Amino acid sequence: MKPRILLIGSTGQVGRELAGTLTRIGEVVVPERAALDLTRTPDIARIIHDAYPQVVVNAAAYTAVDLAEKEPEKARAINTEAPAAMAVAAAELNALLVHYSTDYVFDGSKESPYAEDDSTNPLNVYGRTKLDGENAIRDSGCRHLILRTAWVYATRGKNFLLTILRLASQREELRIVSDQIGAPTWAHEIARATSSMLERHAAAAAGDAPPTGTFHVTAGGTTNWHAFATAILDEAAKLPGANPWLSAALGGGSIVTKRITPIMTADYPTPARRPAYSVLSNERLTHSYRLQLPEWRDQLKAALAST
């Protein structure tokens, strides 16, 4: 019997992708947006109990990293208190909770990829609220998959990819930070990995379920924001001139950027501090689930080819 999957956050970058990939695993239930206020924990408990799912997938989050410094209460409500309420309800139903977290739970002081059990030390409100959400899930005792990812982008929504294309239609020079190191990860690949993990759980015989816990799910390889921006414009230049998605991303114009100048983080101060190095090791994911996401540049090519 296929499981019932409650998908929360279906309109976000990862959620939109999950809405398509999860249907091959089970019955996907999406609560009406008006019925679910993530700042109201009673709503969350009621929605989950009414749906009575075997799996709860939480793809909702407060992701405005800089704005979180001004709105810590709202960030905490969505990133900490909401997942805590989901975890309690999931535990009561013996459902599996899938929750997404971030590389920003780390401070960036390490010089090699972070493992799941490395010490956390978030530098900003966003990272702290996401870490507190992780800990609330663990403390609840529910069965869970906490999937940390990084530098997420998609061909819809608000993200670095679309920001760079918009700015490239307006400015001859872009000044982009080059001393923050990470792995840009396409939302589609995160959804595909999640679905593959859940397929394993759905197919497992009683007492033979695959591992749960915390896993890193990011693109292979490493880069920086400057190199990522350069790659975005390089790949966009290969798209057909009549590509409607690219035309919309450029606001109906064309790419006018002639230079992408690397700058240091200190030259571009932001309200929230960011880790200088936030590459995550995917070894646990590969070992436990035999999954390995493509290299970041290959993901970017595939994302633009899909438009």
Side-chain angles (χ1 to χ4, degrees):
M1 182 176 178
K2 290 188 174 182
R4 174 175 292 181
I5 304 170
L6 177 64
L7 174 58
I8 297 171
S10 62
T11 60
Q13 294 186 121
V14 176
R16 278 194 294 265
E17 300 289 347
L18 286 166
T21 61
L22 291 177
T23 54
R24 73 171 188 256
I25 301 167
E27 175 194 2
V28 178
V29 178
V30 177
E32 293 184 11
R33 193 166 186 178
L36 181 56
D37 182 348
L38 290 174
T39 65
R40 289 178 49 83
T41 53
D43 287 358
I44 295 169
R46 174 179 52 79
I47 289 289
I48 292 175
H49 278 275
D50 287 350
Y52 210 86
Q54 285 75 54
V55 180
V56 178
V57 179
N58 177 33
Y62 182 107
T63 57
V65 177
D66 288 322
L67 190 58
E69 299 295 315
K70 296 181 179 180
E71 298 182 341
E73 296 84 3
K74 186 175 181 180
R76 179 159 298 279
I78 296 173
N79 290 345
T80 302
E81 295 168 10
M86 294 177 201
V88 170
E92 291 169 348
L93 300 178
N94 193 32
L96 174 67
L97 174 61
V98 180
H99 175 75
Y100 297 93
S101 192
T102 174
D103 55 330
Y104 281 15
V105 299
F106 299 110
D107 63 13
S109 60
K110 198 177 177 186
E111 296 181 352
S112 59
Y114 280 95
E116 288 82 353
D117 297 329
D118 281 337
S119 296
T120 52
N121 184 33
L123 300 178
N124 52 50
V125 169
Y126 167 71
R128 287 194 292 275
T129 59
K130 292 296 287 183
L131 178 59
D132 289 345
E134 287 187 13
N135 289 331
I137 291 169
R138 296 186 187 101
D139 292 344
S140 74
C142 77
R143 295 186 298 119
H144 63 267
L145 290 170
I146 295 172
L147 308 182
R148 290 183 184 142
T149 189
W151 295 24
V152 180
Y153 66 92
T155 54
R156 295 172 61 188
K158 295 181 179 180
N159 55 67
F160 187 79
L161 167 68
L162 294 174
T163 296
I164 289 299
L165 289 173
R166 175 175 55 81
L167 293 177
S169 71
Q170 302 169 355
R171 303 178 185 178
E172 290 192 354
E173 180 186 25
L174 301 183
R175 293 165 54 82
I176 308 294
V177 168
S178 63
D179 59 347
Q180 294 175 22
I181 310 299
T185 307
W186 184 22
H188 178 74
E189 289 295 343
I190 298 169
R192 286 213 311 172
T194 303
S195 297
S196 294
M197 296 173 80
L198 290 179
E199 278 185 318
R200 288 275 305 276
H201 282 269
D208 192 30
T212 54
T214 303
F215 294 86
H216 291 168
V217 182
T218 61
T222 64
T223 189
N224 60 65
W225 292 114
H226 173 268
F228 185 32
T230 302
I232 289 170
L233 296 192
D234 285 347
E235 295 301 329
K238 299 175 185 177
L239 294 177
N243 183 294
W245 173 85
L246 181 60
S247 178
L250 295 172
S254 58
I255 295 174
V256 299
T257 295
K258 297 177 180 178
R259 297 179 305 280
I260 306 180
T261 303
I263 63 173
M264 306 300 283
T265 297
D267 298 324
Y268 187 72
T270 56
R273 292 178 61 200
R274 287 161 167 78
Y277 181 94
S278 59
V279 179
L280 305 182
S281 169
N282 295 300
E283 288 186 12
R284 178 179 291 180
L285 178 70
T286 301
H287 175 77
S288 299
Y289 286 89
R290 299 183 181 89
L291 287 174
Q292 188 168 0
L293 276 65
E295 293 287 307
W296 71 267
R297 184 86 187 224
D298 292 334
Q299 290 194 25
L300 175 62
K301 292 177 181 178
L304 294 185
S306 72
T307 59

